[in-house]
Amino acid sequence: MIKTIKREKYFLLTIFFLSFLVRSLVFYFYLSKDKNYWQVDSNTYHKIAENIAQGKGVGVEGRSQFYRLPGYSIFLSLYYKIVGVDTKNVLWMQILLASFIPILVFFLSLVLFPSSFLLAKISSLYSCFHLGLVLYSGFFMTESLFIFFLLLFFQYLFFLTFEFL
């Protein structure tokens, strides 16, 4: 894995910056205009995150709120507590985090198909432009964070599995 990172560092950097550029352009020119990043669940995540950051617990308007899982709201509340409540800034941080997804796709592809280096490059390049991955990175929703951690989990799981075989 370390050899691959050293050997492909320019490709990985290019993939990261390309991914960040595509996501940033879509967010700046489309999603941030008229607050298009707000979706059905966005306001609930935001309000719960504000309450958690203020130490009021997982709830809205004094009521416990359990019809949304608190993971994304906890993620937002950590940012709110450190930097302050600013929805556009937290989305920029989410876009930055989502820009690592193509790199994780590259490594997952290499783990699953170790002899197909071209497949890993093509799949990571595809994930830079995949419409769902690009749009959801700028939405105030859980998808980008979930995919990021899911891919990290797969990396860890497959690394351990193939390490012991």
Side-chain angles (χ1 to χ4, degrees):
M1 178 87 69
I2 300 298
K3 288 180 185 179
T4 304
I5 293 172
K6 287 181 180 178
R7 186 180 50 215
E8 296 297 326
K9 65 182 169 191
Y10 295 115
F11 174 76
L12 294 174
L13 284 171
T14 302
I15 288 295
F16 172 78
F17 285 119
L18 180 64
S19 175
F20 183 72
L21 178 69
V22 169
R23 284 157 175 72
S24 297
L25 290 174
V26 168
F27 181 73
Y28 183 77
F29 289 111
Y30 173 64
L31 294 176
S32 67
K33 305 298 181 200
D34 300 323
K35 296 187 176 184
N36 289 328
Y37 49 83
W38 286 101
Q39 299 298 316
V40 175
D41 300 334
S42 301
N43 195 40
T44 306
Y45 291 127
H46 172 66
K47 285 183 178 182
I48 292 172
E50 283 182 319
N51 282 342
I52 293 171
Q54 296 169 359
K56 296 179 182 176
V58 180
V60 176
E61 299 169 358
R63 295 186 321 252
S64 294
Q65 178 92 270
F66 292 102
Y67 60 90
R68 297 277 180 269
L69 294 174
Y72 187 62
S73 296
I74 291 170
F75 166 75
L76 294 173
S77 71
L78 291 172
Y79 185 87
Y80 290 169
K81 198 169 196 95
I82 295 169
V83 179
V85 178
D86 188 343
T87 55
K88 276 193 180 179
N89 280 346
V90 77
L91 287 174
W92 278 110
M93 197 264 310
Q94 182 172 297
I95 288 169
L96 181 69
L97 194 65
S99 297
F100 285 101
I101 289 174
I103 294 171
L104 293 172
V105 167
F106 174 81
F107 285 117
L108 183 61
S109 180
L110 275 181
V111 167
L112 295 175
F113 307 103
S115 63
S116 185
F117 220 73
L118 181 62
L119 177 66
K121 286 186 173 185
I122 291 171
S123 61
S124 65
L125 188 62
Y126 177 75
S127 64
C128 286
F129 297 102
H130 185 276
L131 186 61
L133 294 174
V134 171
L135 283 177
Y136 277 105
S137 68
F139 284 156
F140 213 83
M141 296 181 73
T142 63
E143 278 75 2
S144 291
L145 190 67
F146 170 76
I147 291 170
F148 178 79
F149 284 117
L150 180 68
L151 288 172
L152 278 178
F153 171 74
F154 285 158
Q155 297 292 325
Y156 180 72
L157 176 71
F158 289 126
F159 178 74
L160 286 179
T161 303
F162 291 124
E163 189 72 23
F164 291 112
L165 290 179

